[in-house]
Amino acid sequence: MPATPRATRGAVSEEALRGERAILTGCLLDILIGIVTLVAAFWGNSLTLLGECVRGGLLIILELVLLVLLRRINRGTIADYDYGTRKLEQFANLVVGIAMILGALWLLSGVARRLDTIQVQSATGMAFGAVAALANLAINGWVFYLLWRSSRGGTSIIVNGQLLSRLSKVIASALVAVAVLVNASAGPEGIGHWADIVGTMVVVTVMLSFGARMIQQSLPHLIDRALNDRQQATINRALAASFDAYDELLAVRTRTQGSDAWIEIEVGFAPDRSIGEVHRLAEEMAAEIRQVIPGAQVLVIPRAVGA
């Protein structure tokens, strides 16, 4: 069965709509506060706020892509992907992860240029930036609450993923808000100068760790990595337990698709065995593997072999 089952065209459940509304609300508020923060970053000459705009803008792009996919999945309008849309999600994660790392490196170059140089900062602009940073923290906290309410059923991988992403935003925006408040209060020299540097490094650290994690998680699924040794051993034990049911083991192929395990097994049966018996044994083997590897997509393919 597909990794992302096609939904039946028609009414969308209230739970699914809550998830869509939560992500859409987050996107719209992120765009709004992103524009405000960008204005504050240039007005107050704050590298911390500029870094937050770069990080937030990349995640907004990813959120919009996932929202479009979620809406199409919920309405059953995806007809071109027999095996689901997980690879599209992972490809989007890969692109944004690479952009995150490149953006972090660019911010690092900005930190290097500012280390020994006191910047001219507008007091009014920094005050506006502090308000924007606090508003960003409040928005992230509220959207996190909306996503938490929507994900309690645990049915949507996209919504659950956005919940974790939003949690990282809450933590990062809290640290950024503290740095900007110190910078706005102390001014562009002394503690204020170092608050801007430290705040930027917090954003850089979040971007590097988040980007690296996105790349690390997406690449194995895009290249169809086989299951790990522990799962392979579990499959082998299940096949050994059913050794007397089939006549020959021809092939075992595995791969990961999102968070799912895909297992394809070719087993040989003597030509004189009935179709009904072969079908029953193949279903029993598949059911046994699904039991030891929960959520696995298992396909047992019977082949005729020589007497």
Side-chain angles (χ1 to χ4, degrees):
M1 59 183 293
T4 306
R6 296 179 189 174
T8 304
R9 288 179 183 269
V12 182
S13 69
E14 181 59 32
E15 180 184 354
L17 288 175
R18 279 200 303 270
E20 291 180 10
R21 286 195 293 265
I23 296 178
L24 178 60
T25 300
C27 287
L28 294 177
L29 291 175
D30 283 344
I31 292 172
L32 178 61
I33 196 62
I35 294 173
V36 173
T37 304
L38 186 62
V39 171
F42 285 110
W43 188 4
N45 192 20
S46 170
L47 189 59
T48 299
L49 289 176
L50 185 59
E52 184 71 353
C53 289
V54 173
R55 184 189 67 83
L58 291 171
L59 289 180
I60 288 172
I61 295 173
L62 179 60
E63 288 172 357
L64 290 173
V65 171
L66 295 179
L67 177 61
V68 171
L69 285 175
L70 180 62
R71 287 178 60 84
R72 295 188 66 185
I73 290 170
N74 288 340
R75 287 155 181 78
T77 58
I78 294 182
D80 298 327
Y81 302 94
D82 290 332
Y83 293 95
T85 59
R86 298 284 178 80
K87 286 192 183 296
L88 290 178
E89 298 172 36
Q90 297 296 346
F91 183 73
N93 282 332
L94 176 64
V95 172
V96 173
I98 293 173
M100 279 273 188
I101 290 178
L102 293 177
L105 295 177
W106 176 75
L107 287 173
L108 276 177
S109 68
V111 170
R113 290 193 299 269
R114 290 194 176 206
L115 273 176
D116 299 323
T117 305
I118 302 301
Q119 301 295 311
V120 176
Q121 292 182 313
S122 165
T124 307
M126 285 306 302
F128 182 69
V131 173
L134 291 173
N136 186 37
L137 174 59
I139 287 172
N140 283 325
W142 185 50
V143 176
F144 174 77
Y145 171 71
L146 294 179
L147 286 167
W148 173 77
R149 287 183 57 193
S150 302
S151 65
R152 283 183 295 181
T155 58
S156 172
I157 293 176
I158 292 179
V159 174
N160 290 336
Q162 284 300 296
L163 177 67
L164 296 177
S165 174
R166 187 62 61 167
L167 176 60
S168 72
K169 286 185 178 183
V170 171
I171 297 172
S173 59
L175 296 174
V176 165
V178 171
V180 173
L181 283 170
V182 173
N183 188 190
S185 301
E189 300 182 5
I191 295 177
H193 169 73
W194 286 107
D196 189 34
I197 297 296
V198 172
T200 306
M201 289 305 300
V202 168
V203 177
V204 168
T205 302
V206 171
M207 291 177 69
L208 286 176
S209 60
F210 203 70
R213 187 178 66 180
M214 293 171 77
I215 294 173
Q216 183 182 22
Q217 290 178 348
S218 60
L219 272 179
H221 304 304
L222 290 173
I223 60 178
D224 286 342
R225 183 188 63 181
L227 301 185
N228 58 46
D229 292 339
R230 181 181 59 80
Q231 292 172 311
Q232 296 280 7
T234 301
I235 296 171
N236 291 337
R237 286 194 295 270
L239 291 174
S242 306
F243 181 76
D244 294 333
Y246 56 88
D247 297 295
E248 188 175 344
L249 178 62
L250 302 176
V252 177
R253 290 179 288 271
T254 66
R255 64 185 176 93
T256 56
Q257 174 73 13
S259 58
D260 293 336
W262 283 71
I263 304 166
E264 185 178 292
I265 302 170
E266 292 188 31
V267 289
F269 293 91
D272 57 348
R273 302 180 76 166
S274 69
I275 293 178
E277 180 190 10
V278 169
H279 175 74
R280 177 180 59 79
L281 292 173
E283 287 297 311
E284 289 177 355
M285 291 174 61
E288 184 174 350
I289 294 175
R290 292 189 195 103
Q291 185 175 4
V292 294
I293 305 181
Q297 313 294 326
V298 185
L299 177 63
V300 177
I301 305 173
R303 305 286 191 194
V305 295

